[in-house]
Amino acid sequence: QSISPDFRHKSANYSLWIHGWSNPPWVLKELRRRAIAMSGELSFTRYVKNGEEIASERDVEFVESLKACAKRKDLYAGKSLHDEVLKKGFLEKSPYIAATLIHMYAKCGVLLKAEQVLEEMHGRDVVCWNALIAGHANHGRQQFYEALSCFERMQQEGIYPDAVTFTCILKSCGSMRAIDKGKQIHNEIVSRGLLEKNIVLGNALVDMYAKCGMLVNAWKVLNELPVRNVVSWSALIAGHAQEGQGHEAFDCFEQMQREGLSPDEFTFTSILQACGNIRMAEKGEKIHNEIVKKGFLKTNPVLGSALVDMYAKCGLISKAELVLEKLPVRTTVSWSALIAGYVEIGQYRSALNC
């Protein structure tokens, strides 16, 4: 076995995966570099017995390989790994591997296969259920009832939801504007004291209420959080922007900065929407300058589209054109924003020429 790195996979644009136990150190390092953090959905530290970590090197290698496949949505490589897991009989022996398999299939959009992996397990735990619930939650409105069904089945099996479970379900509630279910989940979270130690869960609650248009409730949750960060504020700003409350969105934006928090790309996208909604071109231009200074336009096409949309809605069509021309990547959304701007000011021929 070679002890020096073979980087042919890079030029071929393939994912790496493990086909044995004795891998040179560079393989695992490369897999870790490629793999993605799963927002707390899976964590090695979740599997602890008597205060000691119980992951084997074998588990870590398979998990890192599957996470790399999930990141690249490489279903072919993921299925090859699944076959090897079954051949070696590891599915029942390692909850790490099972949960990451479910996550991989969910990320690749094959939710039926993710469910099948779960169904074939005898010792299902909360992490495996979370992987499937997260998969449904991340696929938006159409998967809301499936996420909810998993949530209820998990509890029927005597498995208690944890902070990650609640975070995923709240995301689904927000997508569906299912406020009654969201409030029910909120009450359960409070009764278990989970908000006192989990900022991610607090942010999910703010986001759920904001997406449901319940901005008073979102503010209340935000004010009661022991710690709030840019994600908390961005969820509230997005909620005000969604409801056409541009001035309130700006109040949040400024208060967030007074607390020493720097806006991120999502914050800027939402505040640009607020500027466009109430035709605040001057403030929009200031935001534009901040975005350019931070270099966000080079890597974020969504933010570029939001800028085009903001200028178009403010009637500054020449500036919208200029932004579009300078974008490193132009998308259907950015072109549609410009076309809508032309239509808004009666330049129908220009709209057709786009």
Side-chain angles (χ1 to χ4, degrees), residues 42-333:
L42 296 175
S43 168
F44 294 146
T45 55
R46 300 296 298 275
Y47 289 94
V48 174
K49 187 177 285 183
N50 299 326
E52 291 186 11
E53 185 59 56
I54 58 170
S56 70
E57 184 178 345
R58 174 206 70 203
D59 293 343
V60 173
E61 288 182 346
F62 266 112
V63 165
E64 295 291 350
S65 300
L66 285 164
K67 285 166 69 178
C69 294
K71 181 181 181 181
R72 296 175 64 83
K73 294 183 169 56
D74 190 341
L75 185 59
Y76 177 80
K79 282 182 174 177
S80 297
L81 274 168
H82 188 181
D83 290 342
E84 189 169 349
V85 166
L86 292 174
K87 196 186 305 178
K88 301 287 185 182
F90 293 151
L91 193 61
E92 287 302 324
K93 294 176 185 176
S94 173
Y96 300 109
I97 294 172
T100 317
L101 258 176
I102 293 166
H103 169 75
M104 182 276 296
Y105 280 122
K107 287 291 282 187
C108 291
V110 192
L111 287 164
L112 286 176
K113 192 69 176 174
E115 289 176 6
Q116 184 184 330
V117 173
L118 186 80
E119 293 297 334
E120 288 171 357
M121 294 176 63
H122 298 299
R124 301 190 278 254
D125 68 358
V126 68
V127 179
C128 295
W129 276 107
N130 284 348
L132 183 58
I133 291 169
H136 286 301
N138 289 333
H139 280 78
R141 295 171 62 91
Q142 66 270 29
Q143 293 295 321
F144 168 72
Y145 292 106
E146 287 78 1
L148 202 57
S149 172
C150 290
F151 178 68
E152 288 165 355
R153 281 177 56 208
M154 179 183 80
Q155 292 175 90
Q156 286 164 7
E157 290 187 8
I159 298 169
Y160 286 103
D162 62 8
V164 175
T165 325
F166 287 129
T167 299
C168 296
I169 289 296
L170 286 169
K171 182 174 183 178
S172 286
C173 290
S175 298
M176 282 294 291
R177 294 177 76 95
I179 188 61
D180 290 338
K181 188 65 181 177
K183 284 181 176 179
Q184 182 186 328
I185 298 295
H186 185 181
N187 291 335
E188 195 168 343
I189 289 166
V190 170
S191 70
R192 291 176 54 179
L194 294 175
L195 279 182
E196 297 161 14
K197 49 194 172 186
N198 195 303
I199 190 170
V200 175
L201 188 52
N203 292 342
L205 263 174
V206 175
D207 183 63
M208 183 275 294
Y209 280 122
K211 282 179 177 167
C212 290
M214 306 285 288
L215 292 164
V216 173
N217 298 63
W219 264 108
K220 188 172 185 295
V221 172
L222 184 83
N223 287 327
E224 291 173 354
L225 291 179
V227 179
R228 49 199 190 191
N229 59 16
V230 65
V231 179
S232 327
W233 280 108
S234 296
L236 192 56
I237 290 165
H240 282 298
Q242 173 189 288
E243 296 298 311
Q245 299 174 4
H247 295 292
E248 291 83 352
F250 251 97
D251 288 342
C252 293
F253 183 70
E254 289 165 356
Q255 188 172 337
M256 179 189 80
Q257 291 176 297
R258 284 195 296 271
E259 291 186 6
L261 296 169
S262 296
D264 62 11
E265 290 158 285
F266 181 73
T267 323
F268 282 128
T269 300
S270 298
I271 205 66
L272 284 170
Q273 183 187 349
C275 291
N277 287 344
I278 58 174
R279 314 292 190 266
M280 290 196 299
E282 189 178 337
K283 286 193 174 182
E285 285 185 276
K286 287 180 181 175
I287 298 296
H288 185 177
N289 291 335
E290 277 190 64
I291 290 167
V292 170
K293 278 182 193 173
K294 290 178 181 284
F296 286 158
L297 282 181
K298 296 173 186 174
T299 56
N300 193 313
V302 174
L303 194 49
S305 299
L307 260 174
V308 175
D309 183 64
M310 183 274 295
Y311 280 124
K313 282 180 177 172
C314 290
L316 300 174
I317 204 71
S318 59
K319 289 199 173 182
E321 290 171 341
L322 190 60
V323 170
L324 185 71
E325 283 172 17
K326 290 182 176 179
L327 289 180
V329 177
R330 290 181 283 217
T331 65
T332 305
V333 177

